[in-house]
Amino acid sequence: MKTETDGAAVAPPVPDGAEPPPDPVELARLLLQQLAAIPWVGLGAIGTGFGVALLAFYFWSIDFVPPDIPSILSASVFVAMLAFAFCLWVVVSLVGPLWMHREMGLPPVAMVDGQVAPRAAAFALPALQLLGVGLFLLLWIGGPMWRECRPYADSIVWIGAVLTLLGAAGWGWSEWKIQGMRPVWWKRLHRVLWVCIWGVLPVGALLTLAWPSQGAEWWHLGVLAVLWLCVVVASAFLDRFPVWACVLMATVSFPAVVLSLSVLMGTPSLFPTKVAELAGIRSSSVIELRMPRSTCLLVESALGAAQAGNQLDCERSEWGSAHAQVLSNLGSRWLIEIPLAAEAPQGHNGALRLSVPAEGIHVTRRVPSQAAGGGSQCRP
């Protein structure tokens, strides 16, 4: 509240022993000083080098080098920033449930004070993660898929139901073992809900990191499940570590996890490929490309008449269309990959890769219409 003195508004005096309120101008000046102290030129050079190395490894994996080297340099800083943001997203997602569990004050008081607490208290967080993922699969994925009669909907519903029951039973057992160390459970339900929501983040991070964009098989799902269970179980043994130590461990172990996944899945360029997809350099799947008729005829001549019928349409006067996956769109030539029939002996991994002129190529995406009304009519 301000007082009037000679027609001018002045702030009330600060009581004895209280700190004065921060001055916004002084805070802005300190922030600018901190930003000016950052070696931006050095960080830019490091980012450029890291981005060039990452793009070079990716282009080596697809056996292609864009003809315009300046295009690689111009995209290197952006690629480095995306790689850093991707690593940060994975680390935050893995450590996020542990941080939220402590931020909501869910650990028992005895554990927070450093005293001896029952070991059952450490298994409350894994149980809540199971409960959160189970509810997510059951309500947000399995339920809509089941109403629309999509494939594997029943399996997802069953998996979600099992995880929900296991998570609820584990959390109830943990609550029973540590009675009296914290308020009764019905007073902490809103906090438990927040932990369950954050418990879904590790699954999203592992899906982004380990799930292939196309050609996923059942063993990919098994690898993902094993990784997620390792993360969930590890949270039970990190209850006495500070959050910053958990973040440091996740950051240090991230390169080892990426290299292990690359070797296990037989894709050495797993991480560079993910970053290239995030940067828009590579498409995650086969898309429709509109191109000049001359370019379309070039692709048709490389495919042959037997293969061109399903993938190409060059009959129009000026424009043609092709269904292909873009592997690189940097520079004056694009590298595209067109799937071939199973009986075709030529091509690389059942597909034909060729570079085409970038001039005149447009990406076409067809957005499906949203069905109006209620659920699907496929079930009685």
Side-chain angles (χ1 to χ4, degrees):
M1 181 177 178
K2 295 184 178 181
T3 60
E4 295 292 336
T5 303
D6 296 334
V10 296
V14 179
D16 296 337
E19 296 183 358
D23 185 9
V25 177
E26 182 67 19
L27 290 178
R29 187 181 64 82
L30 292 176
L31 178 60
L32 291 177
Q33 288 180 353
Q34 296 295 328
L35 292 177
I38 298 176
W40 295 106
V41 177
L43 289 179
I46 294 174
T48 301
F50 180 74
V52 169
L54 198 65
L55 287 177
F57 189 78
Y58 170 69
F59 289 131
W60 169 80
S61 66
I62 62 176
D63 195 18
F64 175 75
V65 177
D68 300 333
I69 301 301
S71 63
I72 300 179
L73 296 177
S74 61
S76 58
V77 177
F78 179 62
V79 169
M81 293 175 61
L82 277 179
F84 174 76
F86 183 60
C87 297
L88 183 63
W89 150 251
V90 174
V91 171
V92 170
S93 299
L94 296 180
V95 187
L98 179 64
W99 171 80
M100 181 56 64
H101 186 253
R102 299 181 183 180
E103 190 70 16
M104 293 289 102
L106 291 180
V109 178
M111 181 184 296
V112 175
D113 294 340
Q115 304 172 12
V116 177
R119 193 58 193 165
F123 291 94
L125 179 57
L128 291 178
Q129 293 186 67
L130 291 177
L131 179 60
V133 174
L135 291 176
F136 181 77
L137 292 177
L138 191 62
L139 300 178
W140 278 272
I141 297 182
M145 290 181 62
W146 184 82
R147 289 195 302 267
E148 297 175 3
C149 296
R150 294 188 180 181
Y152 309 113
D154 296 339
S155 301
I156 295 178
V157 169
W158 275 107
I159 294 175
V162 171
L163 291 178
T164 301
L165 292 176
L166 288 178
W171 182 59
W173 173 76
S174 175
E175 289 288 323
W176 176 66
K177 285 290 186 180
I178 53 179
Q179 298 181 51
M181 292 188 179
R182 49 189 174 184
V184 290
W185 61 272
W186 59 81
K187 295 183 179 181
R188 292 176 283 108
L189 283 180
H190 64 287
R191 302 178 183 181
V192 170
L193 179 61
W194 275 108
V195 177
C196 291
I197 293 175
W198 278 73
V200 183
L201 292 182
V203 177
L206 294 176
L207 274 173
T208 308
L209 180 63
W211 194 257
S213 302
Q214 54 184 351
E217 300 179 2
W218 284 106
W219 68 272
H220 290 103
L221 183 61
V223 171
L224 180 66
V226 171
L227 285 175
W228 176 65
L229 288 177
C230 290
V231 172
V232 171
V233 174
S235 64
F237 298 94
L238 299 176
D239 54 328
R240 305 189 191 278
F241 288 89
V243 176
W244 66 264
C246 299
V247 173
L248 182 61
M249 286 187 288
T251 305
V252 172
S253 60
F254 180 78
V257 173
V258 172
L259 291 177
S260 302
L261 285 176
S262 301
V263 173
L264 182 62
M265 295 186 173
T267 53
S269 62
L270 176 64
F271 182 70
T273 299
K274 291 291 183 181
V275 176
E277 291 178 359
L278 292 175
I281 298 174
R282 173 192 176 109
S283 63
S284 59
S285 60
V286 175
I287 59 177
E288 182 180 356
L289 299 175
R290 293 285 181 177
M291 58 185 62
R293 190 170 186 271
S294 57
T295 306
C296 188
L297 293 176
L298 172 65
V299 177
E300 184 179 21
S301 64
L303 279 175
Q307 298 290 331
N310 297 328
Q311 308 293 343
L312 290 176
D313 181 12
C314 303
E315 300 298 329
R316 303 182 182 183
S317 58
E318 296 182 0
W319 295 92
S321 64
H323 291 83
Q325 181 181 10
V326 179
L327 302 183
S328 173
N329 58 10
L330 292 180
S332 59
R333 299 190 70 86
W334 287 18
L335 181 67
I336 63 175
E337 182 177 272
I338 302 179
L340 298 176
E343 63 272 8
Q346 72 271 26
H348 179 73
N349 291 336
L352 177 68
R353 292 181 178 178
L354 72 159
S355 62
V356 295
E359 183 178 1
I361 296 183
H362 303 275
V363 176
T364 303
R365 298 185 184 274
R366 305 182 184 275
V367 180
S369 60
Q370 299 293 331
S376 174
Q377 302 296 326
C378 59
R379 295 185 182 276

